[in-house]
Amino acid sequence: MVDNIIHIALLLVFPPFLLGVINKTKAWFGGRVGAPLLQPYYDLAKLFQKEWVLSTTTTWIFRAGPVVTLACVLLAGLLIPLGRFAAPIGFAGDLILFAYLFGLARFFTTAAALDTGSAFEGMGAAREATFSCLSEPALFFALLVLAKLSGSLMLGDLLRGPLGGFAPTVIAPLVLIAIGLFIVLLAETCRIPVDDPNTHLELTMIHEVMVLDHSGPLLGVILYAAAIKLFVLGSVLLHVLAPVQLATAWLNWPLFLLELSGLAVAVGIVESIMARLQMRHVPYLLVSAVLFCGFSFILLVR
Amino acid sequence: MIHLLNAILVLVLMMNLFALGTSRIMTVIQTVAAQGALLSLIPLLAHGHLTLPVALATIAALALKGIAIPSMMAHALRDANIKREVEPLIGLLPSIILGALGTVFALLFASQLPLAGEHADSLLVPASFATMLTGFIFLTTRFKALSQVLGYLVLENGIFIFGMLLINVMPLMVEMGVLLDLFVGIFVICIIVNKINQSFSSMDTRQLVSLKE
């Protein structure tokens, strides 16, 4: 019970901190002091205080987009176990719900973008839909491998693996899906090398262009949902990367937060040392993620 | 031990695909160098315990495949003043997919072979076939002389992996001989590349056929 409350509290409060860690890492690489670690919280507070400005061409879909996205990622966050602690919700087959909650969120984001009637945003929607076609199979293959390893179709059991950690015989498939999932994480959360969250250039935007017309509280909801998405996918990846646990149960919470911050630092390092890929090269990256996860499955069943 | 070996071999397989998917020749050289360095660790792991011949094989492979040959090629690349494989016979994405199909084929094929019991679980045989196939793809679809040398290196890496099956019985002398041949081969090719570049101002091997006149 206490663990469930901590789970929900972390899911609600912690995600913007990860964005702060990423930005701080990038600033450190650039030799700058950078914004304070808590800057994303201040930004969100500022955005939520602003008034609503809505275009007259938009309908309720435009307002529903960010809200549905937030609801979807929060629900997805309840389905996954954080560290060694059980998930608040779980049933057999919830991995499909997990994958398609992201699909639903994406559908509403693209629908809201199309609702503005701007050709520019339609372009972004088309890009997002195209790239998600490639990242979804990678995620599914990765979950399939984990399901095969643990013999369970419930995210809670599947991610935490068999009792006592994964057998050493499966290091090779796990290495492969760890890399595949990291690429999926970068693609889904719109980070470099797939998408640049800071760019506002017509040629290069994917996610940013779809939310150009959102402002004030709606933009705040979108930023918050993006941070939660990073948190959720990061926790999934951590199950593959660091399936360790400490003997004292409560110490696993700080350990988990430390690991997650470490992952955010890794994302920040990737963003600092890599340039954004050319738009026509992004599918190569995503196809290779699918290949890694697919190979991992073949290795397992051969 | 065999599980760590498998993890390394999986990384080697991924480097194959990465090398196929990038057009910058310098990046391919670095990838092949990293692959060679990783492979040089295999004798240590495959053998189980440290003996002098194994240590020598490791050090020699690391020095040659990881450092000497790549730096020679990087030097030749700098002299030749080219950066990219401009138009491969088939595009980059198709070559990745071809490489992936080759890897799948190697995995399926190796599982059909009547291997000795101790090699049944390891990825040595499929990884070796897949790496050799990658080398063939490089050799047949790239036209720059340096890219073809890289294909040759990848091919040799595949043969090196296969040789690891016999590490316990193969004399050190054979291993050293192979490495020496490789080194001399690359050395000569790099000089030739340099000469071709000075004489013809192009590294495209397709144009070599028109030298009859």
Side-chain angles (χ1 to χ4, degrees):
Chain A
M1 188 62 209
V2 177
D3 284 338
N4 278 352
I5 293 172
I6 298 179
H7 181 122
I8 295 168
L10 278 183
L11 181 64
L12 290 174
V13 175
F14 195 68
F17 181 75
L18 293 177
L19 295 183
V21 172
I22 292 179
N23 288 336
K24 200 74 176 172
T25 313
K26 285 167 78 174
W28 185 79
F29 260 86
R32 292 175 282 123
V33 178
L37 280 175
L38 298 180
Q39 186 62 39
Y41 293 97
Y42 304 142
D43 288 348
L44 286 178
K46 180 190 74 183
L47 285 171
F48 283 126
Q49 282 164 9
K50 291 193 170 183
E51 63 171 322
W52 293 56
V53 181
L54 293 173
S55 152
T56 48
T57 58
T58 57
T59 59
W60 62 272
I61 296 175
F62 182 76
R63 275 157 287 158
V67 178
V68 173
T69 307
L70 182 63
C72 286
V73 291
L74 278 177
L75 189 52
L78 291 180
L79 288 172
I80 51 150
L82 301 181
R84 298 307 295 182
F85 300 96
I89 313 174
F91 52 88
D94 56 0
L95 73 166
I96 296 185
L97 176 65
F98 176 77
Y100 282 105
L101 276 173
F102 286 125
L104 184 65
R106 194 175 300 117
F107 173 77
F108 266 90
T109 314
T110 46
L114 292 174
D115 193 43
T116 59
S118 144
F120 192 31
E121 302 211 6
M123 182 193 72
R127 287 175 178 169
E128 172 94 358
T130 312
F131 293 146
S132 67
C133 285
L134 294 170
S135 67
E136 204 170 274
L139 182 64
F140 261 113
F141 267 124
L143 290 177
L144 208 60
V145 168
L146 289 170
K148 173 89 179 144
L149 282 178
S150 61
S152 159
L153 284 177
M154 206 171 109
L155 270 179
D157 298 340
L158 166 159
L159 285 175
R160 287 188 296 165
L163 210 61
F166 292 107
T169 42
V170 297
I171 291 183
L174 282 184
V175 168
L176 279 175
I177 58 170
I179 296 175
L181 277 178
F182 189 64
I183 296 175
V184 170
L185 170 88
L186 293 178
E188 289 275 335
T189 53
C190 316
R191 314 299 311 189
I192 291 173
V194 176
D195 190 5
D196 186 350
N198 296 324
T199 185
H200 279 98
L201 280 173
E202 179 179 346
L203 290 175
T204 57
M205 281 190 285
I206 301 174
H207 184 262
E208 287 306 305
V209 66
M210 291 197 299
V211 301
L212 268 186
D213 276 53
H214 294 85
S215 62
L218 284 179
L219 183 62
V221 169
I222 287 171
L223 290 180
Y224 185 46
I228 295 178
K229 204 170 178 184
L230 179 66
F231 178 87
V232 170
L233 286 170
S235 334
V236 171
L237 179 57
L238 277 185
H239 284 287
V240 182
L241 282 183
V244 286
Q245 57 173 328
L246 300 174
T248 325
W250 67 270
L251 270 179
N252 279 319
W253 282 117
L255 176 71
F256 169 74
L257 294 185
L258 207 65
E259 286 171 349
L260 207 55
S261 308
L263 189 66
V265 171
V267 173
I269 292 174
V270 168
E271 296 210 0
S272 308
I273 62 175
M274 278 188 79
R276 223 191 135 280
L277 287 178
Q278 285 175 35
M279 193 61 87
R280 63 198 171 89
H281 287 169
V282 171
Y284 298 0
L285 184 74
L286 294 174
V287 166
S288 55
V290 177
L291 288 178
F292 290 155
C293 294
F295 268 142
S296 163
F297 189 65
I298 291 173
L299 274 184
L300 211 59
V301 297
R302 87 195 160 97
Chain B
M1 206 58 104
I2 193 163
H3 310 308
L4 197 57
L5 183 63
N6 280 355
I8 287 185
L9 288 172
V10 159
L11 286 178
V12 167
L13 289 179
M14 273 182 301
M15 284 176 181
N16 285 341
L17 294 185
F18 182 72
L20 279 176
T22 150
S23 66
R24 242 177 250 266
I25 295 181
M26 194 60 214
T27 317
V28 182
I29 292 178
Q30 284 160 353
T31 314
V32 175
Q35 194 181 40
L38 258 185
L39 286 183
S40 62
L41 295 178
I42 292 183
L44 281 180
L45 293 172
H47 204 63
H49 53 93
L50 193 65
T51 55
L52 189 62
V54 172
L56 277 179
T58 305
I59 293 168
L62 187 64
L64 278 182
K65 283 169 180 287
I67 301 162
I69 292 175
S71 58
M72 236 158 42
M73 296 204 59
H75 197 77
L77 185 70
R78 217 174 18 251
D79 290 345
N81 206 13
I82 47 168
K83 288 211 165 61
R84 289 167 186 275
E85 177 74 40
V86 184
E87 5 173 79
L89 181 64
I90 53 175
L92 294 176
L93 191 58
S95 24
I96 296 182
I97 292 172
L98 204 62
L101 284 179
T103 311
V104 171
F105 167 76
L107 282 171
L108 295 178
F109 177 63
S111 62
Q112 304 295 319
L113 289 176
L115 295 174
E118 73 223 61
H119 300 312
D121 278 346
S122 100
L123 285 175
L124 277 174
V125 179
S128 130
F129 282 129
T131 311
M132 282 192 255
L133 279 173
T134 309
F136 279 128
I137 296 174
F138 254 103
L139 282 172
T140 47
T141 62
R142 307 293 159 98
F143 295 120
K144 294 271 188 260
L146 273 173
S147 294
Q148 297 197 345
V149 179
L150 282 165
Y152 175 60
L153 266 180
V154 174
L155 185 67
E156 203 281 334
N157 278 347
I159 298 169
F160 183 84
I161 301 175
F162 203 84
M164 288 303 121
L165 287 175
L166 304 172
I167 182 84
N168 288 332
V169 286
M170 189 160 64
L172 179 67
M173 198 57 87
V174 175
E175 191 63 36
M176 290 297 157
V178 171
L179 281 175
L180 186 66
D181 279 356
L182 182 72
F183 181 70
V184 173
I186 304 285
F187 192 67
V188 171
I189 293 173
C190 282
I191 293 173
I192 292 175
V193 160
N194 222 340
K195 289 289 172 202
I196 293 178
N197 195 48
Q198 280 171 6
S199 315
F200 305 108
S201 75
S202 164
M203 297 264 285
D204 195 328
T205 49
R206 279 171 299 183
Q207 294 180 6
L208 290 182
V209 294
S210 61
L211 290 180
K212 285 177 291 211
E213 292 298 309

